[in-house]
Amino acid sequence: MTDDKIHVYLMPGMAANPSIFRYIQLPEAQFELHTLHWFVPQKNMSLSEYALKMTEEIKHETPVLLGVSFGGMLVQEMARYVKTKKVIVVSSVKHESELPKRMQFAKYTKIHKLLPTGIVNNVELLAKYAFGETVTKRLALYEEYLSIRDKHYIDWSIDQIVNWKPGYCPDGMVHIHGEKDNVFPISNIKDCIPIKQGTHTMIIHRAKWFNEHLPTIILQ
């Protein structure tokens, strides 16, 4: 039996689990959604090596890869190793020049090495790292979304983001970005689909927009 569905693999952002995609729904007759999970990297593992390992979870030919934030960087790296129908990055960056100045500064000063990542069980602090938001009012919600608390993983993730130098741009890549993203300000972003009032967590809070527009974006 021929599988005519388009398989869409969803990669969450730093420290987040796939529940951030809970409200993403695409027509089931045409699309099938698959979620990917972060794993704790081996010591000294590069993002490219991590991406190659993650491709072992891809079980279908020419999938769509959609990644959010740090997950958006990862799916770009994964596209080096698997043939894709489309790569979609959300609330992310495509080039080191799109990183905010503070992250570019951290690359050269190594100041990010001084961040207190040893207390990542503090969900409010973790949300600041991962979402760029103060989450006091929605603490229980974010406690559910942010489940990766391993210090080595957090340190590794921050270091990979700050030092990312993409050497590959997937064909037909689409970048969707919120105009109110306070982690990766849209003023630094080139060639994207801008979302009015969209924040860094718009994959959760603006799921209706994605459900309405992703089918067309994927099929274009």
Side-chain angles (χ1 to χ4, degrees), residues 113-129:
K113 301 280 190 182
L114 303 177
L115 291 170
T117 54
I119 52 175
V120 290
N121 281 324
N122 179 328
V123 178
E124 285 188 65
L125 184 67
L126 186 57
K128 267 289 190 196
Y129 289 165

PDB file of all heavy atoms in Angstrom, residues 113-129:
ATOM      1  N   LYS A 113      29.278  31.103  29.679  1.00  0.00           N
ATOM      2  CA  LYS A 113      29.784  30.012  30.515  1.00  0.00           C
ATOM      3  C   LYS A 113      29.526  30.287  32.000  1.00  0.00           C
ATOM      4  O   LYS A 113      29.608  29.393  32.836  1.00  0.00           O
ATOM      5  CB  LYS A 113      31.295  29.840  30.307  1.00  0.00           C
ATOM      6  CG  LYS A 113      31.721  29.541  28.875  1.00  0.00           C
ATOM      7  CD  LYS A 113      31.527  28.100  28.524  1.00  0.00           C
ATOM      8  CE  LYS A 113      32.181  27.772  27.179  1.00  0.00           C
ATOM      9  NZ  LYS A 113      31.959  26.372  26.775  1.00  0.00           N
ATOM     10  N   LEU A 114      29.239  31.551  32.318  1.00  0.00           N
ATOM     11  CA  LEU A 114      29.036  31.943  33.713  1.00  0.00           C
ATOM     12  C   LEU A 114      27.571  31.884  34.135  1.00  0.00           C
ATOM     13  O   LEU A 114      27.246  32.156  35.286  1.00  0.00           O
ATOM     14  CB  LEU A 114      29.568  33.376  33.933  1.00  0.00           C
ATOM     15  CG  LEU A 114      31.049  33.599  33.586  1.00  0.00           C
ATOM     16  CD1 LEU A 114      31.417  35.065  33.788  1.00  0.00           C
ATOM     17  CD2 LEU A 114      31.950  32.704  34.428  1.00  0.00           C
ATOM     18  N   LEU A 115      26.672  31.548  33.207  1.00  0.00           N
ATOM     19  CA  LEU A 115      25.247  31.498  33.546  1.00  0.00           C
ATOM     20  C   LEU A 115      24.998  30.422  34.597  1.00  0.00           C
ATOM     21  O   LEU A 115      25.606  29.354  34.562  1.00  0.00           O
ATOM     22  CB  LEU A 115      24.414  31.202  32.291  1.00  0.00           C
ATOM     23  CG  LEU A 115      24.365  32.326  31.253  1.00  0.00           C
ATOM     24  CD1 LEU A 115      23.711  31.822  29.969  1.00  0.00           C
ATOM     25  CD2 LEU A 115      23.599  33.518  31.787  1.00  0.00           C
ATOM     26  N   PRO A 116      24.073  30.677  35.536  1.00  0.00           N
ATOM     27  CA  PRO A 116      23.833  29.731  36.633  1.00  0.00           C
ATOM     28  C   PRO A 116      22.950  28.553  36.215  1.00  0.00           C
ATOM     29  O   PRO A 116      21.853  28.350  36.727  1.00  0.00           O
ATOM     30  CB  PRO A 116      23.129  30.602  37.684  1.00  0.00           C
ATOM     31  CG  PRO A 116      22.399  31.618  36.872  1.00  0.00           C
ATOM     32  CD  PRO A 116      23.271  31.904  35.676  1.00  0.00           C
ATOM     33  N   THR A 117      23.439  27.760  35.278  1.00  0.00           N
ATOM     34  CA  THR A 117      22.617  26.667  34.746  1.00  0.00           C
ATOM     35  C   THR A 117      22.472  25.525  35.738  1.00  0.00           C
ATOM     36  O   THR A 117      21.687  24.610  35.520  1.00  0.00           O
ATOM     37  CB  THR A 117      23.216  26.128  33.441  1.00  0.00           C
ATOM     38  OG1 THR A 117      24.586  25.773  33.676  1.00  0.00           O
ATOM     39  CG2 THR A 117      23.141  27.168  32.339  1.00  0.00           C
ATOM     40  N   GLY A 118      23.219  25.571  36.824  1.00  0.00           N
ATOM     41  CA  GLY A 118      23.097  24.510  37.825  1.00  0.00           C
ATOM     42  C   GLY A 118      21.772  24.538  38.553  1.00  0.00           C
ATOM     43  O   GLY A 118      21.417  23.572  39.228  1.00  0.00           O
ATOM     44  N   ILE A 119      21.017  25.628  38.423  1.00  0.00           N
ATOM     45  CA  ILE A 119      19.723  25.709  39.104  1.00  0.00           C
ATOM     46  C   ILE A 119      18.580  25.666  38.087  1.00  0.00           C
ATOM     47  O   ILE A 119      17.586  26.352  38.217  1.00  0.00           O
ATOM     48  CB  ILE A 119      19.638  26.962  39.998  1.00  0.00           C
ATOM     49  CG1 ILE A 119      20.010  28.248  39.236  1.00  0.00           C
ATOM     50  CG2 ILE A 119      20.511  26.821  41.220  1.00  0.00           C
ATOM     51  CD1 ILE A 119      19.823  29.523  40.063  1.00  0.00           C
ATOM     52  N   VAL A 120      18.737  24.840  37.065  1.00  0.00           N
ATOM     53  CA  VAL A 120      17.707  24.776  36.016  1.00  0.00           C
ATOM     54  C   VAL A 120      16.417  24.138  36.508  1.00  0.00           C
ATOM     55  O   VAL A 120      15.406  24.201  35.810  1.00  0.00           O
ATOM     56  CB  VAL A 120      18.206  24.019  34.758  1.00  0.00           C
ATOM     57  CG1 VAL A 120      19.247  24.833  34.040  1.00  0.00           C
ATOM     58  CG2 VAL A 120      18.717  22.634  35.119  1.00  0.00           C
ATOM     59  N   ASN A 121      16.408  23.552  37.703  1.00  0.00           N
ATOM     60  CA  ASN A 121      15.142  23.061  38.228  1.00  0.00           C
ATOM     61  C   ASN A 121      14.224  24.208  38.617  1.00  0.00           C
ATOM     62  O   ASN A 121      13.047  24.000  38.877  1.00  0.00           O
ATOM     63  CB  ASN A 121      15.381  22.134  39.431  1.00  0.00           C
ATOM     64  CG  ASN A 121      15.803  20.754  38.973  1.00  0.00           C
ATOM     65  OD1 ASN A 121      15.324  20.270  37.947  1.00  0.00           O
ATOM     66  ND2 ASN A 121      16.696  20.128  39.710  1.00  0.00           N
ATOM     67  N   ASN A 122      14.770  25.407  38.654  1.00  0.00           N
ATOM     68  CA  ASN A 122      13.956  26.597  38.817  1.00  0.00           C
ATOM     69  C   ASN A 122      13.295  26.881  37.458  1.00  0.00           C
ATOM     70  O   ASN A 122      13.944  27.353  36.528  1.00  0.00           O
ATOM     71  CB  ASN A 122      14.858  27.759  39.251  1.00  0.00           C
ATOM     72  CG  ASN A 122      14.095  29.053  39.419  1.00  0.00           C
ATOM     73  OD1 ASN A 122      13.110  29.306  38.730  1.00  0.00           O
ATOM     74  ND2 ASN A 122      14.573  29.902  40.311  1.00  0.00           N
ATOM     75  N   VAL A 123      12.018  26.573  37.353  1.00  0.00           N
ATOM     76  CA  VAL A 123      11.341  26.657  36.054  1.00  0.00           C
ATOM     77  C   VAL A 123      11.296  28.084  35.526  1.00  0.00           C
ATOM     78  O   VAL A 123      11.400  28.319  34.325  1.00  0.00           O
ATOM     79  CB  VAL A 123       9.914  26.067  36.139  1.00  0.00           C
ATOM     80  CG1 VAL A 123       9.186  26.202  34.811  1.00  0.00           C
ATOM     81  CG2 VAL A 123       9.977  24.609  36.547  1.00  0.00           C
ATOM     82  N   GLU A 124      11.171  29.052  36.429  1.00  0.00           N
ATOM     83  CA  GLU A 124      11.141  30.449  35.977  1.00  0.00           C
ATOM     84  C   GLU A 124      12.447  30.819  35.282  1.00  0.00           C
ATOM     85  O   GLU A 124      12.452  31.481  34.242  1.00  0.00           O
ATOM     86  CB  GLU A 124      10.903  31.382  37.161  1.00  0.00           C
ATOM     87  CG  GLU A 124       9.465  31.370  37.653  1.00  0.00           C
ATOM     88  CD  GLU A 124       9.228  32.449  38.698  1.00  0.00           C
ATOM     89  OE1 GLU A 124       9.330  33.633  38.346  1.00  0.00           O
ATOM     90  OE2 GLU A 124       8.937  32.103  39.852  1.00  0.00           O
ATOM     91  N   LEU A 125      13.577  30.367  35.846  1.00  0.00           N
ATOM     92  CA  LEU A 125      14.872  30.653  35.237  1.00  0.00           C
ATOM     93  C   LEU A 125      15.020  29.916  33.910  1.00  0.00           C
ATOM     94  O   LEU A 125      15.475  30.474  32.914  1.00  0.00           O
ATOM     95  CB  LEU A 125      16.003  30.248  36.186  1.00  0.00           C
ATOM     96  CG  LEU A 125      17.421  30.575  35.709  1.00  0.00           C
ATOM     97  CD1 LEU A 125      17.626  32.094  35.665  1.00  0.00           C
ATOM     98  CD2 LEU A 125      18.453  29.937  36.624  1.00  0.00           C
ATOM     99  N   LEU A 126      14.599  28.649  33.885  1.00  0.00           N
ATOM    100  CA  LEU A 126      14.680  27.859  32.659  1.00  0.00           C
ATOM    101  C   LEU A 126      13.835  28.482  31.557  1.00  0.00           C
ATOM    102  O   LEU A 126      14.237  28.534  30.392  1.00  0.00           O
ATOM    103  CB  LEU A 126      14.227  26.420  32.934  1.00  0.00           C
ATOM    104  CG  LEU A 126      14.372  25.422  31.791  1.00  0.00           C
ATOM    105  CD1 LEU A 126      15.811  25.331  31.307  1.00  0.00           C
ATOM    106  CD2 LEU A 126      13.875  24.044  32.213  1.00  0.00           C
ATOM    107  N   ALA A 127      12.666  28.991  31.920  1.00  0.00           N
ATOM    108  CA  ALA A 127      11.795  29.646  30.936  1.00  0.00           C
ATOM    109  C   ALA A 127      12.448  30.899  30.378  1.00  0.00           C
ATOM    110  O   ALA A 127      12.282  31.228  29.205  1.00  0.00           O
ATOM    111  CB  ALA A 127      10.445  29.969  31.551  1.00  0.00           C
ATOM    112  N   LYS A 128      13.206  31.593  31.218  1.00  0.00           N
ATOM    113  CA  LYS A 128      13.943  32.773  30.747  1.00  0.00           C
ATOM    114  C   LYS A 128      14.955  32.371  29.683  1.00  0.00           C
ATOM    115  O   LYS A 128      15.103  33.027  28.652  1.00  0.00           O
ATOM    116  CB  LYS A 128      14.661  33.449  31.919  1.00  0.00           C
ATOM    117  CG  LYS A 128      13.886  34.547  32.597  1.00  0.00           C
ATOM    118  CD  LYS A 128      13.804  35.771  31.699  1.00  0.00           C
ATOM    119  CE  LYS A 128      13.243  36.961  32.452  1.00  0.00           C
ATOM    120  NZ  LYS A 128      12.804  38.022  31.537  1.00  0.00           N
ATOM    121  N   TYR A 129      15.669  31.272  29.928  1.00  0.00           N
ATOM    122  CA  TYR A 129      16.644  30.776  28.956  1.00  0.00           C
ATOM    123  C   TYR A 129      15.955  30.317  27.674  1.00  0.00           C
ATOM    124  O   TYR A 129      16.353  30.665  26.567  1.00  0.00           O
ATOM    125  CB  TYR A 129      17.409  29.568  29.519  1.00  0.00           C
ATOM    126  CG  TYR A 129      18.396  29.848  30.617  1.00  0.00           C
ATOM    127  CD1 TYR A 129      18.895  28.810  31.387  1.00  0.00           C
ATOM    128  CD2 TYR A 129      18.839  31.138  30.903  1.00  0.00           C
ATOM    129  CE1 TYR A 129      19.818  29.035  32.402  1.00  0.00           C
ATOM    130  CE2 TYR A 129      19.743  31.377  31.915  1.00  0.00           C
ATOM    131  CZ  TYR A 129      20.232  30.320  32.657  1.00  0.00           C
ATOM    132  OH  TYR A 129      21.132  30.542  33.662  1.00  0.00           O
TER     133      TYR A 129
END
